Amino acid sequence: DQQVKQNSPSLSVQEGRISILNCDYTNSMFDYFLWYKKYPAEGPTFLISISSIKDKNEDGRFTVFLNKSAKHLSLHIVPSQPGDSAVYFCAAVDDYKLSFGAGTTVTVRA
Amino acid sequence: NAGVTQTPKFQVLKTGQSMTLQCAQDMNHEYMSWYRQDPGMGLRLIHYSVGAGITDQGEVPNGYNVSRSTTEDFPLRLLSAAPSQTSVYFCASSYLVGGLAATNEQFFGPGTRLTVL
């Protein structure tokens, strides 16, 4: 049973608008969360992370929000750009193991 | 710096054949890991290592063996390939900080696409 879930397989957004990607988790032992971005035929690349003791982390156009009580996190991309079109994976850390969600494919329309 | 390299890029096997997927990194990372990516499943951890001579199982270890004789290399062995092992395999590495290796940025290789007939 997947412990990290991304329930939206795809998201289409207009260039310049906000992209919001959601992620839910079930394991209360997770203490660190990360977002990875993946282009076709390439390995994932790290985007942004957040510790379980924080509720927000910002890096340029990317902001991650964590709601521990709801076991929910989200990634906001503002403004969305054509180069943001990719698959985004949510991931969570328990000890030395990383658990990934199924991914959300983001398409940014011109 | 070559980063994380994986060979081969593509491989086709017949059921029952064995093979080794190679992974190497030149960043002196202590932590290395193997994942498989399947449609609708995201990436699932197969095995990981926190240093030379130390390996442990991840979420889906059955059918796979690993060893870590050097810091740089972390090969993944399929002893008797099965069609269920058709997947894209990614190797990743990172530094270890405070024992929480995965909280660091993990560097991924480009992947190996494996088909088992």
Side-chain angles (χ1 to χ4, degrees):
Chain A
D1 189 30
Q2 280 198 295
Q3 300 181 74
V4 179
K5 296 181 181 178
Q6 293 176 257
N7 292 320
S8 297
S10 63
L11 173 70
S12 181
V13 63
Q14 195 165 12
E15 183 179 358
R17 298 291 189 110
I18 183 171
S19 295
I20 300 177
L21 291 79
N22 294 303
C23 178
D24 297 293
Y25 62 95
T26 57
N27 185 350
S28 57
M29 297 299 292
F30 288 145
D31 55 1
Y32 211 87
F33 303 90
L34 308 96
W35 286 91
Y36 282 83
K37 178 178 177 180
K38 185 183 180 305
Y39 293 117
E42 294 183 10
T45 54
F46 170 77
L47 195 55
I48 191 169
S49 61
I50 187 167
S51 165
S52 60
I53 63 173
K54 297 187 175 182
D55 55 19
K56 178 182 174 181
N57 188 28
E58 199 170 348
D59 184 1
R61 297 187 296 114
F62 304 93
T63 303
V64 57
F65 297 92
L66 175 62
N67 183 333
K68 276 192 71 174
S69 60
K71 293 190 173 69
H72 176 84
L73 64 155
S74 62
L75 174 68
H76 292 208
I77 306 173
V78 185
S80 299
Q81 298 175 354
D84 296 333
S85 294
V87 179
Y88 290 79
F89 291 100
C90 171
V93 178
D94 176 14
D95 196 17
Y96 290 108
K97 299 180 183 179
L98 201 58
S99 297
F100 282 82
T104 297
T105 300
V106 172
T107 303
V108 180
R109 310 185 309 271
Chain B
N1 260 359
V4 179
T5 57
Q6 292 184 238
T7 56
K9 283 188 168 33
F10 302 93
Q11 183 70 48
V12 179
L13 291 178
K14 293 181 180 177
T15 297
Q17 287 185 315
S18 63
M19 80 159 296
T20 299
L21 306 185
Q22 301 291 344
C23 174
Q25 52 91 9
D26 61 358
M27 297 171 281
N28 205 30
H29 286 165
E30 301 95 335
Y31 185 88
M32 295 187 74
S33 53
W34 276 101
Y35 298 85
R36 59 177 289 174
Q37 184 190 9
D38 301 294
M41 300 291 291
L43 285 83
R44 291 182 292 168
L45 181 65
I46 304 172
H47 285 286
Y48 66 94
S49 169
V50 297
I54 307 169
T55 64
D56 208 343
Q57 296 182 352
E59 184 185 349
V60 288
N62 291 342
Y64 307 96
N65 277 357
V66 292
S67 60
R68 184 99 179 267
S69 56
T70 66
T71 299
E72 294 77 21
D73 300 297
F74 191 44
L76 179 72
R77 295 184 188 86
L78 285 71
L79 299 178
S80 178
S84 61
Q85 293 178 304
T86 293
S87 188
V88 181
Y89 291 84
F90 290 100
C91 178
S93 71
S94 72
Y95 289 112
L96 272 174
V97 173
L100 298 176
T103 63
N104 289 286
E105 176 184 351
Q106 288 209 45
F107 293 83
F108 281 81
T112 293
R113 185 174 292 274
L114 176 68
T115 301
V116 183
L117 303 174

